[in-house]
Amino acid sequence: MALTKRETDRLENILNNTKGFRDKVARTRNVPDYYRAYLKKVKRRVVEIPVPEQAEPVSCYISEAGNGPQPRPVHINIHGGGFYYGHSEDDDLYCARIAAETEGIVVDIDYALTPMHPFPAAFEQCYAVARWVFQNSGELGVDPEQISMGGQSAGGNLTAAIAIKAVETGDFKLRMQILEYPALDFVTDPVKKSTGHELTEETAERYRAFSVLYTDGDESLTASPYISPAAANDAVAAKLPETLIVTGGKDSLRDEAEAFGLRLVSSGITTTMKRFTRSCHGFTVRMQDEWEASQQFVIDQLKKKRSTQR
């Protein structure tokens, strides 16, 4: 049964009343000039991509390097925000840097948000975008062997879920999935996700609100691997693409991400994990803590994998 308006309002109030730290970071940080300059190093445009399962298309921001060898690699990015907060300039900056440094294309998905669009809206949109990139690789000048996908937090969740569905359908094969501090387990209560420090009840309530809004209050959905990728069965896990996992040492999602990575390793999947020990959740794109080192790590891995394919 779908959430009532009263229940939805209560959950939104929790999120709106506990976002002070997020707003403070946005107000007080200093964006380095070299980082902002990446916006001028790429061509940027907006495309509308059809979603067969839905009446409306999904908007994507495409950042494209001006030069480089052909055909080019493409990275599909899915922003974070608990499925509730939308695309921002932070995502534009991150995607521009990835495109410029890899001499390729980044397709950044501006997917539908809760509470108006609970699961499976964002999942269907992001899957449709990935399929579109593969189907239009020739027109885009893209190397179909060099199509990767990645995301942060909720975007990491969607990335992993899409990789799982792609294994099941055979629609396409990602070269790599990049999971940055991903939310992979919606079954376990937030307070039981230990990282060496305890969550406050306020933070736990915030995480629960994200989950309930995404599932529209249907707790039975949380065990689906499309919502909790950690629940993927062994046969599917053994066919997932090469995986890169970035975690923050002070992030409550750290353990579930690293446990997923170890499971992939045991399934024979090439998996690289790096924990940035001084970093909190959201650091890579939100320009906090060890964000510059984390971004460089992702870029180096994308460039390394491209060079091995030449």
Side-chain angles (χ1 to χ4, degrees), residues 136-151:
N136 293 273
S137 60
E139 180 180 342
L140 293 169
V142 166
D143 182 352
E145 298 296 320
Q146 290 293 326
I147 298 176
S148 59
M149 173 176 271

Side-chain angles (χ1 to χ4, degrees), residues 65-73 102-104 141-143 306 310:
N67 50 38
Q70 300 283 337
R72 293 167 292 182
T102 62
E103 299 181 317
V142 166
D143 182 352
R306 185 182 186 190
R310 291 178 181 172

Side-chain angles (χ1 to χ4, degrees), residues 18 190-191 199-210 252:
T18 60
V191 296
L199 288 179
T200 65
E201 183 56 31
E202 178 181 82
T203 302
E205 278 297 305
R206 181 177 175 80
Y207 284 0
R208 294 186 192 111
F210 286 133
S252 65

Side-chain angles (χ1 to χ4, degrees), residues 82-258:
F83 312 99
Y84 181 79
Y85 298 113
H87 178 276
S88 71
E89 184 188 36
D90 291 352
D91 305 298
D92 290 335
L93 289 165
Y94 178 72
C95 292
R97 184 182 184 192
I98 296 292
E101 293 288 350
T102 62
E103 299 181 317
I105 297 172
V106 175
V107 178
D108 191 25
I109 309 173
D110 191 12
Y111 57 86
L113 304 171
T114 64
M116 291 296 293
H117 303 283
F119 179 86
F123 173 69
E124 291 176 343
Q125 289 178 345
C126 293
Y127 192 85
V129 171
R131 185 170 52 204
W132 177 85
V133 171
F134 276 89
Q135 291 175 343
N136 293 273
S137 60
E139 180 180 342
L140 293 169
V142 166
D143 182 352
E145 298 296 320
Q146 290 293 326
I147 298 176
S148 59
M149 173 176 271
Q152 306 79 42
S153 191
N157 171 287
L158 288 164
T159 297
I162 287 163
I164 289 168
K165 182 176 179 179
V167 167
E168 295 173 342
T169 64
D171 285 340
F172 51 82
K173 174 71 172 180
L174 293 168
R175 175 68 185 87
M176 176 190 289
Q177 61 172 344
I178 300 178
L179 312 179
E180 299 175 71
Y181 35 88
L184 301 176
D185 176 9
F186 279 33
V187 176
T188 305
D189 188 83
V191 296
K192 296 181 180 179
K193 298 180 179 182
S194 173
T195 58
H197 67 282
E198 294 185 5
L199 288 179
T200 65
E201 183 56 31
E202 178 181 82
T203 302
E205 278 297 305
R206 181 177 175 80
Y207 284 0
R208 294 186 192 111
F210 286 133
S211 175
V212 175
L213 286 174
Y214 187 50
T215 59
D216 203 18
D218 188 348
E219 189 174 350
S220 68
L221 288 176
T222 61
S224 165
Y226 294 163
I227 289 181
S228 292
N233 64 49
D234 291 342
V236 170
K239 296 178 181 178
L240 289 172
E242 181 172 350
T243 300
L244 178 67
I245 296 177
V246 173
T247 61
K250 300 179 181 180
D251 181 15
S252 65
L253 301 182
R254 183 195 75 192
D255 290 354
E256 66 196 73
E258 294 176 357

